Amino acid sequence: MLWPFNHFRKPLVTPRGTIEAIYGMIVTQAREPIFYRDLGVPDTVNGRFDLLLLHLWLLLRRLRTVQSATELSQALFDRFCEDMDDNLREMGIGDQTVPKRMRAFGEAFYGRVQAYDQAIEAGGEALAAAICKNILNGTGLDQARLLAAYARASEADLGRTGEAALLAASFTFPPALREDLTP
């Protein structure tokens, strides 16, 4: 049925399948065993959440430079929120507690985005320090340096990816450990 005011609503430009494909790529990359096995990311709910946020931040940071990607960025963030809500409910968190936890997730997301943006702009050890604090629980600075090098390499790779490829989910994240990654 067509609702009488549907014509006032802006149509969704980004197909749901594209959002799912891109979000799936983010989740898949964040679940790579090498991050947990070799780079010291705690294989816990919090560790996985923080690594997911890092990858989401990397992609959203790149999408900020694409003029027609505002809607895609919002759709990816919305998908992330949906995923977090679903995961909380699967873990048995009650309906009354979910909004509080979602608020905490939002605060964590925005806090980390701000910290990572400031750190990557500052250069040097700042990104490693932010990653060490937020992902590695304040320990493992050498591993944080490797993760920071990975994040910078990912940002560079995404920066070289054309806008059409980004918008069509036709890109990949780099391997977590590459020989050319040096802290």
Side-chain angles (χ1 to χ4, degrees), residues 67-128:
Q67 206 167 38
S68 60
T70 304
E71 195 171 300
L72 174 60
S73 295
Q74 184 62 54
L76 284 171
F77 180 76
D78 292 347
R79 180 62 186 98
F80 161 74
C81 290
E82 256 178 52
D83 187 33
M84 294 302 104
D85 186 275
D86 291 347
N87 284 315
L88 287 172
R89 292 175 193 284
E90 283 179 23
M91 291 172 15
I93 305 298
D95 286 341
Q96 293 184 350
T97 308
V98 168
K100 259 193 255 180
R101 296 294 272 292
M102 290 302 295
R103 202 169 13 266
F105 286 152
E107 290 170 5
F109 172 80
Y110 287 113
R112 281 160 179 77
V113 163
Q114 183 177 12
Y116 295 151
D117 278 344
Q118 290 172 353
I120 207 160
E121 297 301 326
E125 289 280 306
L127 185 58

Side-chain angles (χ1 to χ4, degrees), residues 1-144:
M1 171 179 188
L2 286 177
W3 295 98
F5 298 106
N6 274 356
H7 64 280
F8 291 120
R9 216 168 119 207
K10 190 173 162 184
L12 181 65
V13 176
T14 307
R16 182 77 180 164
T18 302
I19 296 162
E20 290 299 323
I22 294 172
Y23 189 73
M25 291 165 60
I26 292 168
V27 170
T28 299
Q29 186 69 10
R31 289 184 179 168
E32 280 294 315
I34 196 163
F35 290 113
Y36 307 95
R37 185 185 62 233
D38 298 338
L39 295 176
V41 176
D43 194 3
T44 62
V45 171
N46 289 340
R48 288 175 180 257
F49 172 77
D50 284 321
L51 203 54
L52 178 67
L53 283 184
L54 179 72
H55 286 89
L56 182 60
W57 165 73
L58 285 165
L59 186 57
L60 292 176
R61 182 172 170 80
R62 170 61 173 101
L63 289 174
R64 282 186 224 155
T65 66
V66 178
Q67 206 167 38
S68 60
T70 304
E71 195 171 300
L72 174 60
S73 295
Q74 184 62 54
L76 284 171
F77 180 76
D78 292 347
R79 180 62 186 98
F80 161 74
C81 290
E82 256 178 52
D83 187 33
M84 294 302 104
D85 186 275
D86 291 347
N87 284 315
L88 287 172
R89 292 175 193 284
E90 283 179 23
M91 291 172 15
I93 305 298
D95 286 341
Q96 293 184 350
T97 308
V98 168
K100 259 193 255 180
R101 296 294 272 292
M102 290 302 295
R103 202 169 13 266
F105 286 152
E107 290 170 5
F109 172 80
Y110 287 113
R112 281 160 179 77
V113 163
Q114 183 177 12
Y116 295 151
D117 278 344
Q118 290 172 353
I120 207 160
E121 297 301 326
E125 289 280 306
L127 185 58
I131 286 172
C132 186
K133 176 186 174 197
N134 290 308
I135 298 177
L136 302 178
N137 302 318
T139 62
L141 189 55
D142 288 338
Q143 292 162 319

